């Protein structure tokens, strides 16, 4: 069974896709860069930056690769990074990966992770590649794993965050500061006080009226009962001085990693990779592999990040229909319902069970080596489920919780059975257009 192409999620032209990179609104277009390897379906050969752009999140243009690993500073991969605008020029910052041959653990030796910058006047053609920081510029207690720059402006200065692994197998986020985007000085670090892993990837700074947060992907959390069950986690810490506190998970499904927000957008919009590094899942693919999430609008309520599909995604919904109990719909659909009691929902071999204030997503019968994920101590009031062939994006209680996953089956439609749900509203979803 080959994976059917998706309808309203972005896929690579060919080969592999992972982290969204350099998300930015520039010259009237939203630019979506991403980790791409067009030579290998597992992403292990020639990691570059792919590129989509759009004005409306409905019609996209797919562009040629934006960044290639073609210098001594990034010869083994143009890894993740972000975008910033200065004087009508778009700058992309990323980690250039270099691996040495020989007997290395590639943690404490055998690797370079360089801060690389390129620039563009039009957002499509990039030049002036240069290395601005290398491992010798990072604090001495850092291993060779320092990566994923995220840039922002504060009080007239440019700042960048880098995720880091330390020699004692703990983690932190480094912050550097610059006046011109070229010369960078170490400024400070943020350190988790609880829920500490050995590495932090993909840091991003978010703010609301009263607090600042670092959204990131911690690696090495201790698995506890039904939490932190994925290989790596994805969530956000509140910043308290130089401490990272009150960690909250961002998603409770199997596949959600490397979220990033758009720079220079009036709305706070986030996208992520619907995947998970170093997993043992069974994914089915054809000449392409992996996908990005729908764009999600972010806001904070009562100290919690709320995620909702942007309005442009909702504009893809077709005729509204209502069903009870058993029915069949397209595998490109949105399903919504209110819950006032415990329930069981089956979508082909996918099963969702809400019982005793616990929500379980069960994919154990989907033959993809994904079993069960849980949200505990939750009162479910409302659910909105987006299905796109092999993708699930589930929004619970108006986006207070989400569960995101891939799934696979051989059915051409979605056969739905319910227990304890009075009425379900469905919409078939139109596809986006790729130019």
């Amino acid at each position: 069974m080959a994976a059917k192409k998706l309808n309203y999620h972005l896929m690579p032209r060919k080969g592999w896709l992972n982290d969204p990179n350099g998300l930015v609104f520039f010259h009237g277009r939203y630019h979506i860069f991403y980790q791409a390897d067009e030579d290998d379906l597992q992403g292990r050969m020639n990691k570059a930056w792919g590129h989509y752009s759009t004005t409306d999140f409905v019609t996209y243009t797919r562009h040629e690769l934006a960044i290639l690993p073609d210098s001594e500073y990034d010869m083994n991969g143009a890894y993740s990074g972000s975008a910033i605008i200065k004087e009508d020029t778009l700058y992309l910052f990323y980690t250039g990966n270099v691996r040495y041959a020989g007997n290395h653990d590639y943690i404490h030796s055998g690797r370079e992770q360089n801060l690389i910058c390129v620039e563009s006047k039009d957002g499509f053609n990039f030049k002036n590649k240069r290395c601005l920081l290398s491992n010798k510029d990072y604090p001495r207690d850092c291993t060779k794993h320092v990566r994923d720059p995220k840039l922002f402006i504060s009080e007239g200065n440019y700042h960048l965050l880098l995720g880091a692994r330390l020699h004692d197998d703990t983690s932190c986020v480094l912050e550097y500061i610059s006046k011109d985007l070229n010369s960078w000085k170490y400024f400070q670090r943020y350190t988790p006080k609880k829920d500490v892993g050995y590495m932090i990837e993909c840091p991003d700074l978010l703010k609301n009226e009263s607090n600042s947060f670092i959204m990131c992907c911690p690696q090495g959390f201790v698995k506890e009962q039904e939490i932190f069950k994925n290989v790596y986690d994805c969530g956000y810490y509140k910043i308290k001085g130089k401490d990272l506190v009150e960690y909250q998970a961002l998603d409770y499904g199997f596949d959600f990693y490397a979220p990033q927000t758009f720079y220079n957008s009036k709305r706070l919009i986030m996208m992520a990779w619907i995947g998970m590094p170093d997993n043992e899942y069974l994914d089915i693919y054809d000449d392409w592999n992996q996908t990005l999430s729908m764009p999600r609008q972010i806001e904070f309520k009562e100290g919690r990040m709320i995620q909702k599909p942007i309005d442009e995604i909702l504009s893809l919904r077709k005729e509204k229909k209502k069903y009870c109990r058993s029915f069949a719909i397209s595998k490109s659909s949105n399903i919504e319902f209110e819950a006032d009691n415990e329930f069981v929902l089956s979508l082909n071999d996918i099963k969702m069970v809400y019982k005793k204030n616990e929500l379980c997503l069960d994919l154990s019968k989907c033959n993809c080596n994904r079993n069960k994920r849980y949200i505990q101590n939750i009162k479910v009031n409302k659910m909105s489920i987006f299905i796109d062939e092999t993708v699930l994006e589930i929004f619970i209680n108006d986006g207070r919780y989400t569960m995101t996953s891939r799934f696979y089956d051989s059915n051409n439609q979605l056969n739905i059975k319910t227990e304890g749900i009075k009425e379900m509203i469905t919409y078939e979803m139109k596809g986006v257009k790729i130019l």
Side-chain angles (χ1 to χ4, degrees), residues 77-122:
Y79 279 15
S80 289
S82 63
I84 199 162
I85 300 167
K86 177 189 174 187
E87 297 174 355
D88 206 37
T89 298
L90 176 63
Y91 293 85
L92 300 181
F93 283 72
Y94 66 96
T95 297
N97 188 55
V98 178
R99 287 172 63 95
Y100 302 154
N103 185 20
H104 300 286
D105 65 359
Y106 298 103
I107 299 171
H108 304 281
S109 68
R111 180 192 294 271
E112 295 175 23
Q113 299 219 300
N114 302 304
L115 178 70
I116 310 295
C117 177
V118 295
E119 62 189 74
S120 173
K121 290 291 187 181
D122 61 7

Side-chain angles (χ1 to χ4, degrees), residues 72-84:
E72 61 180 311
Y73 304 112
D74 61 3
M75 64 177 67
N76 297 117
Y79 279 15
S80 289
S82 63
I84 199 162

Side-chain angles (χ1 to χ4, degrees), residues 46-171:
N46 192 38
K47 196 65 71 71
W49 277 35
H51 186 194
Y52 282 98
S53 71
T54 181
T55 59
D56 58 9
F57 292 105
V58 173
T59 299
Y60 293 83
T61 301
R62 181 190 284 137
H63 306 284
E64 295 299 317
L65 295 176
I67 300 175
L68 298 173
D70 56 4
S71 77
E72 61 180 311
Y73 304 112
D74 61 3
M75 64 177 67
N76 297 117
Y79 279 15
S80 289
S82 63
I84 199 162
I85 300 167
K86 177 189 174 187
E87 297 174 355
D88 206 37
T89 298
L90 176 63
Y91 293 85
L92 300 181
F93 283 72
Y94 66 96
T95 297
N97 188 55
V98 178
R99 287 172 63 95
Y100 302 154
N103 185 20
H104 300 286
D105 65 359
Y106 298 103
I107 299 171
H108 304 281
S109 68
R111 180 192 294 271
E112 295 175 23
Q113 299 219 300
N114 302 304
L115 178 70
I116 310 295
C117 177
V118 295
E119 62 189 74
S120 173
K121 290 291 187 181
D122 61 7
F124 305 104
N125 301 286
F126 292 88
K127 62 180 182 178
N128 196 20
K129 180 181 291 192
R130 54 206 183 273
C131 179
L132 301 178
L133 292 174
S134 61
N135 288 93
K136 64 180 174 55
D137 300 305
Y138 307 139
R140 290 186 176 183
D141 59 342
C142 292
T143 66
K144 301 298 184 182
H145 285 248
V146 180
R147 58 180 171 267
D148 306 339
K150 186 64 166 72
L151 283 88
F152 61 96
I153 298 174
S154 179
E155 297 180 353
N157 291 310
Y158 299 101
H159 294 249
L160 72 81
L161 303 178
L162 290 163
R165 178 173 182 168
L166 306 180
H167 286 297
D168 64 357
D169 285 335
T170 61
S171 57

